[in-house]
Amino acid sequence: MNEASPVESAVVEPAPETPSSRLPPPLKKFFSTTRGKAIAVVVILVVLLGVAGQQVYARPVDDPFVRTMVSIFPFPALSVNGTTVTMKEYLTEYDALKKYFDGQGADAPPADELETAIADTLTNKVAIRQLAQARGIEIDQARVEKYYQDVIASQESEEAFVQDLDDTFGWSVEEFKSRVVESIVLALQMSEVILADNALQQPRRDTIDAADARVLAGEDFAAVAKEVNAGFEAGLEADLGYVKLSIIPPSWASAVDALSIGSMTEVLDLPEGYAVFKAEDRTESDEDTQIHLLSITVPKMTLEEVVKGYLASVEVKRYVGEI
């Protein structure tokens, strides 16, 4: 009997499959080239970055992994009409507020509330910058410096303020100016532009003109005032009571002072609204004059309202601090 040799009788096991061995021959050949290998590396990096991104948004912002990743990759925190604020920028604001609360010995708001508040602030800042850019408005650096000097004037000294900035927020003077003062000044500039924009304010002007016409046509002033004033969130009272002439703003003091009892002013265009005043009574003394006033008041469209409308009309994405 012829015995089979060990080689002939051995069972040959198939080689284990590898990802490359499962590829069709054309793809296998492609990924063996330099270009193919480069594309493979890119695909792997994209997948890994996607996984890392999921972890960045899933973990707390204080997590070391989050801090490491956002220092390397520009993960977005939010975007407004195409303008992106990165997680790194967002966390700079977050850290400053946390440092402030720690320095005050006070408990910071819950993390979700703090994150939402920061996201709200940054969203509004971006919106105001975009609205300013659309109107060709640039930050007035002279006003920035004046605002800073006004802040310094209220402090013990500039040196003490600089040290306090570092201790409280970890900011330099330039960071304080760019993060706080410039935003405030630009908002003030935009607010002035909005209030002076006659076309934008025309619907409010139409409202006060219609109310004025109703009173002139014989309707009760107090009733019209109560109805019109209630139409705005400010909820201004129709009956102002007795008001000292000495404390009335210059923009409407002379018009009110000229009123006789029972008479009313024309529609007044005031810095922040439109108003019609009626004098119900008047008392004179050596110290001051007091006038019992009724008022129909229509506030002008504010920057806050304009920003709210703008954000509702553009694409806003928030990856942190979601509402």
Side-chain angles (χ1 to χ4, degrees):
M1 181 181 294
N2 293 326
E3 294 184 3
S5 67
V7 175
E8 293 173 342
S9 62
V11 177
V12 179
E13 295 291 340
E17 288 190 355
T18 63
S20 61
S21 67
R22 290 196 296 268
L23 291 173
L27 284 179
K28 185 175 181 180
K29 183 178 180 181
F30 172 74
F31 281 114
S32 68
T33 64
T34 302
R35 182 166 179 266
K37 290 177 180 178
I39 291 176
V41 170
V42 170
V43 170
I44 292 171
L45 287 176
V46 169
V47 172
L48 291 176
L49 192 57
V51 173
Q54 291 178 338
Q55 290 299 308
V56 164
Y57 298 120
R59 298 187 184 199
V61 294
D62 287 327
D63 189 283
F65 175 81
V66 173
R67 296 303 177 124
T68 299
M69 295 305 296
V70 301
S71 68
I72 300 172
F73 300 105
F75 289 106
L78 58 90
S79 68
V80 178
N81 198 26
T83 299
T84 298
V85 175
T86 66
M87 281 292 293
K88 186 176 181 180
E89 294 171 299
Y90 175 88
L91 289 176
T92 298
E93 300 288 339
Y94 179 89
D95 290 344
L97 278 181
K98 286 284 287 182
K99 187 176 178 67
Y100 168 78
F101 285 113
D102 291 343
Q104 296 298 311
D107 292 332
D112 57 341
E113 292 182 14
L114 186 60
E115 290 175 22
T116 298
I118 294 170
D120 287 342
T121 299
L122 292 174
T123 298
N124 289 335
K125 280 185 178 182
V126 174
I128 291 173
R129 286 202 302 266
Q130 291 177 346
L131 288 167
Q133 185 177 17
R135 289 174 174 264
I137 298 171
E138 297 182 356
I139 297 174
D140 186 337
Q141 292 299 330
R143 288 183 67 170
V144 169
E145 187 58 32
K146 183 180 184 305
Y147 191 99
Y148 173 71
Q149 292 302 326
D150 289 343
V151 171
I152 293 302
S154 66
Q155 306 297 314
E156 177 185 340
S157 67
E158 184 169 11
E159 292 74 17
F161 177 70
V162 171
Q163 185 62 52
D164 192 41
L165 268 183
D166 183 54
D167 294 341
T168 305
F169 297 103
W171 288 345
S172 65
V173 169
E174 289 308 311
E175 286 176 312
F176 172 68
K177 287 181 179 180
S178 65
R179 295 183 183 283
V180 178
V181 181
E182 288 187 1
S183 295
I184 292 173
V185 168
L186 184 60
L188 290 172
Q189 290 178 248
M190 280 298 296
S191 183
E192 292 166 359
V193 169
I194 295 300
L195 291 174
D197 188 331
N198 291 329
L200 183 64
Q201 302 297 344
Q202 191 59 50
R204 302 291 175 92
R205 176 71 199 219
D206 292 342
T207 298
I208 192 76
D209 285 343
D212 185 50
R214 288 170 60 187
V215 173
L216 292 175
E219 290 191 49
D220 180 66
F221 188 100
V224 173
K226 185 176 181 180
E227 177 189 328
V228 173
N229 293 6
F232 299 93
E233 291 183 5
L236 298 173
E237 292 292 332
D239 190 339
L240 302 181
Y242 283 88
V243 182
K244 291 182 179 180
L245 188 61
S246 61
I247 67 170
I248 294 177
S251 57
W252 49 284
S254 59
V256 166
D257 188 29
L259 291 176
S260 58
I261 296 175
S263 65
M264 52 186 268
T265 67
E266 60 183 7
V267 174
L268 302 179
D269 185 345
L270 305 177
E272 297 183 352
Y274 303 100
V276 178
F277 296 99
K278 180 182 178 182
E280 288 286 279
D281 192 16
R282 184 184 184 103
T283 62
E284 306 278 354
S285 70
D286 294 336
E287 297 178 355
D288 210 340
T289 296
Q290 296 190 72
I291 306 172
H292 182 188
L293 292 173
L294 301 182
S295 170
I296 303 174
T297 308
V298 174
K300 289 182 177 179
M301 179 80 73
T302 64
L303 175 60
E304 181 181 359
E305 291 173 294
V306 171
V307 168
K308 184 177 180 180
Y310 175 72
L311 290 174
S313 69
V314 299
E315 184 178 42
V316 178
K317 295 180 181 179
R318 287 171 58 155
Y319 304 94
V320 292
E322 295 185 46
I323 301 174

